[in-house]
Amino acid sequence: MRYISTRGQAPAVSFLDAVLAGMAPDGGLYVPESWPALTDGLVAGRETPPHIASGYVAHSGYGFAAGAAMASLSGGAFNENQAWDLAADVYHNEKCWPPAVTPLVQIGSGAWLLELFHGPSLSFKDVAMQLIAPLYDRALQERGEKLTVLCATSGDTGGAAVEALKRRKHLDLVVLLPKGRVSEVQRRFMTTSEADNIHPIEIDGDFDACQAIVKAMFADRDFATRARLSAVNSINWARILAQSVYYHVAAQILCGQGPVSFSVPTGNFGDAYSGFVAKRMGAPIGAINIATNANDILNRALETGEYARAGMSVATLSPAMDIQVASNFERILFEALDRDGEHVKRLFGDFAVSGRFEIPATARRFLREHFTSWTIDDEETLSSMKHAFEHQGQFVCPHTAIGLAAAAKQLDEDYPQQLGLPIVHLATAHPAKFPETVERATGVRPELPAKCADLFQRSEKFDSLPADAEAVKQYIRERSRAWS
Ligand SMILES: *Cc1c(COP(=O)(O)O)cnc(C)c1O
């Protein structure tokens, strides 16, 4: 199976090429040419229900599912045994993960938290980034190539990329982080690696400015080729693949009579789209609830049918979701338009010019069939954190709180397709990544886990640049080992 661009103008490529490139040369995003059905590995969970003890699923199940997903989506790059070996190395690693990898914790009748934050940098971004690192290693070793990996981050992707890629010989990682828009814990995960292949840069702008710099560097084809650019943002297909696994695993553990719903704190739409991928491959998933903060382009798109940017992003208590333009929306629109790349290209052409387009009626129906959406403000975020602490005994990060609050609204509104179905709330970051906000909501300051308790004693190293693609290009020319 090969990978095609959502804009229909780029040649189809192999799985590893899609992962290395990050983005297609026509400006589109790579998606699989067709959707494979669940393989035996992914269905196994249904036949032999995994052992659940106090909400925790056994270890081996996760790597098995991840290997199966890799084998079916890698288009022959890995056979099942190779994929299982690779996934087992990544996920059955006690230094990185608890036995369940992504534990499910029951918080009410039919309500669960899916804890995705037990990896090295304490957010769900680790789940995918830890898998991407060996994929890069393998591809670069095979080809004898070097890469410059770019990462624009709203806070958590950067830390996960640094943890996964530090000291890898074949690549440099350039992290663009928005100045003043990330928490201190988030920043420290990016700036304290002491690895000489890691280059954190504080950009004088917001996340959208960082993302725009990445896109501009890719658009300069000569520069992109000479620097051997790759991107590990959520536009990278490997991240989507890796994230679809916890949806498969959670849905299969919990599906009894019917499908399972998910509530997903959403920024760039990578995580929510990963849920759609799992569903499309046959996992028993009902509605996927898109929960946004005040940066609500997706909620407005679903409600009004117009996808329109609204100026600069607003700074909120959930900074990892302070994103105006949700890149992965292009992937779901491609599906919603019956995979018509020409049409997607036209719409995003309009968007580049006027900052808006009208979603065609059939596509809108498709979106409403699979997704619901809500916007949660800072006040509601705080009261959701307080509620989780006082009534469910859970510290949750502000992003997770948005997913919880959105799901609560959903039940209030009596959504018929939701009632009676189990619902899984994605817990996307560890509460200790946002200690001030958690303390403000609950009166208690959460502690960093023991494995990173020394984070504030480590020394920081980073550079600062204006929000200007030319300045970042010059920086890369001077430092990247891939530049030629
Ligand atoms: C990145 C992030 C999100 C948003 O995920 P997307 O895939 O960008 O929609 C939500 N919560 C946290 C903690 C994050 O780091």
Side-chain angles (χ1 to χ4, degrees):
M1 193 227 315
R2 295 171 72 76
Y3 281 77
I4 55 172
S5 165
T6 49
R7 298 197 188 174
Q9 312 287 302
V13 298
S14 71
F15 169 76
L16 282 178
D17 281 333
V19 171
L20 286 189
M23 193 168 165
D26 62 356
L29 306 182
Y30 285 117
V31 290
E33 197 166 53
S34 60
W35 292 106
L38 284 185
T39 66
D40 293 347
L42 283 162
V43 178
R46 237 188 270 177
E47 283 149 13
T48 39
H51 169 69
I52 308 180
S54 55
Y56 281 63
V57 52
H59 206 136
S60 58
Y62 198 94
F64 199 60
M70 285 247 300
S72 51
L73 284 166
S74 72
F78 302 95
N79 65 32
E80 287 213 331
N81 286 331
Q82 292 167 326
W84 282 329
D85 283 349
L86 196 143
D89 275 353
V90 169
Y91 295 114
H92 300 175
N93 172 352
E94 273 153 35
K95 279 201 227 107
C96 278
W97 307 103
V101 184
T102 58
L104 268 171
V105 178
Q106 188 155 21
I107 54 168
S109 163
W112 303 76
L113 267 188
L114 181 58
E115 293 185 349
L116 304 173
F117 54 68
H118 293 286
S121 73
L122 311 183
S123 86
F124 85 91
K125 306 293 202 301
D126 288 321
V127 176
M129 222 56 91
Q130 289 289 321
L131 185 73
I132 283 190
L135 289 179
Y136 271 134
D137 266 358
R138 181 193 152 116
L140 295 176
Q141 216 150 13
E142 253 175 27
R143 298 160 191 218
E145 287 177 14
K146 295 197 170 16
L147 275 190
T148 309
V149 179
L150 299 177
C151 175
T153 182
S154 59
D156 288 323
T157 303
V162 168
E163 283 294 332
L165 299 178
K166 64 186 180 191
R167 288 184 270 283
R168 305 254 170 189
K169 287 194 197 66
H170 306 283
L171 56 87
D172 284 281
L173 172 68
V174 177
V175 181
L176 306 181
L177 61 123
K179 182 176 177 181
R181 290 290 194 96
V182 303
S183 81
E184 185 167 2
V185 178
Q186 286 179 314
R187 191 188 69 231
R188 284 179 165 273
F189 273 115
M190 297 183 247
T191 57
T192 60
S193 72
E194 295 186 357
D196 68 359
N197 70 326
I198 301 292
H199 312 282
I201 307 178
E202 196 175 67
I203 294 291
D204 197 2
D206 63 2
F207 170 74
D208 293 288
C210 296
Q211 187 158 257
I213 293 175
V214 169
K215 288 188 178 165
M217 289 198 286
F218 270 98
D220 180 344
R221 296 310 299 163
D222 179 52
F223 177 82
T225 308
R226 292 187 66 190
R228 295 287 300 129
L229 290 188
S230 176
V232 286
N233 288 107
S234 60
I235 53 177
N236 191 303
W237 175 258
R239 287 189 53 186
I240 305 293
L241 186 167
Q243 289 164 189
S244 73
V245 174
Y246 46 72
Y247 284 91
H248 279 294
V249 172
Q252 292 200 10
I253 290 170
L254 296 179
C255 83
Q257 282 81 43
V260 178
S261 293
F262 285 84
S263 190
V264 187
T266 300
N268 228 342
F269 198 65
D271 212 2
Y273 173 74
S274 302
F276 173 83
V277 168
K279 181 176 182 179
R280 192 68 188 67
M281 288 173 66
I285 293 175
I288 297 171
N289 188 25
I290 300 169
T292 75
N293 64 22
N295 300 287
D296 61 347
I297 186 167
L298 289 167
N299 186 33
R300 281 186 286 113
L302 263 78
E303 265 184 9
T304 67
E306 184 184 53
Y307 187 71
R309 74 154 75 229
M312 290 275 283
S313 66
V314 183
T316 70
L317 294 176
S318 44
M321 293 154 55
D322 290 349
I323 293 173
Q324 262 300 323
V325 180
S327 299
N328 279 291
F329 187 65
E330 178 161 345
R331 284 190 162 117
I332 200 70
L333 200 62
F334 182 68
E335 301 301 326
L337 290 169
D338 225 6
R339 307 201 124 210
D340 181 349
E342 281 287 332
H343 201 159
V344 172
K345 181 172 180 263
R346 256 197 331 274
L347 293 178
F348 280 95
D350 293 348
F351 188 73
V353 175
S354 63
R356 60 171 298 281
F357 61 77
E358 211 54 62
I359 301 171
T362 49
R364 207 171 148 207
R365 265 200 301 282
F366 176 99
L367 293 172
R368 301 203 69 119
E369 193 183 303
H370 293 284
F371 299 95
T372 51
S373 69
W374 299 94
T375 292
I376 302 298
D377 67 23
D378 278 351
E379 277 308 306
E380 294 170 305
T381 305
L382 289 168
S383 54
S384 170
M385 293 168 82
K386 185 164 191 271
H387 183 270
F389 182 63
E390 290 178 351
H391 298 273
Q392 293 156 334
Q394 297 290 326
F395 272 135
V396 296
C397 89
H399 313 80
T400 305
I402 285 178
L404 286 164
K409 283 202 178 179
Q410 185 108 321
L411 288 178
D412 281 353
E413 297 269 316
D414 261 357
Y415 256 71
Q417 76 264 41
Q418 293 286 313
L419 286 177
L421 296 185
I423 179 155
V424 175
H425 305 87
L426 268 50
T428 48
H430 194 289
K433 274 196 120 165
F434 307 92
E436 288 82 16
T437 312
V438 174
E439 186 172 16
R440 189 168 147 200
T442 65
V444 184
R445 201 174 173 89
E447 302 234 346
L448 283 166
K451 63 182 171 187
C452 48
D454 68 339
L455 192 65
F456 281 80
Q457 277 84 60
R458 301 178 196 163
S459 62
E460 288 192 271
K461 191 164 163 287
F462 60 93
D463 293 293
S464 300
L465 289 177
D468 172 14
E470 292 307 318
V472 181
K473 283 185 198 168
Q474 187 54 32
Y475 183 98
I476 289 173
R477 281 187 205 104
E478 286 163 12
R479 288 173 183 76
S480 171
R481 67 199 66 195
W483 180 259
S484 63

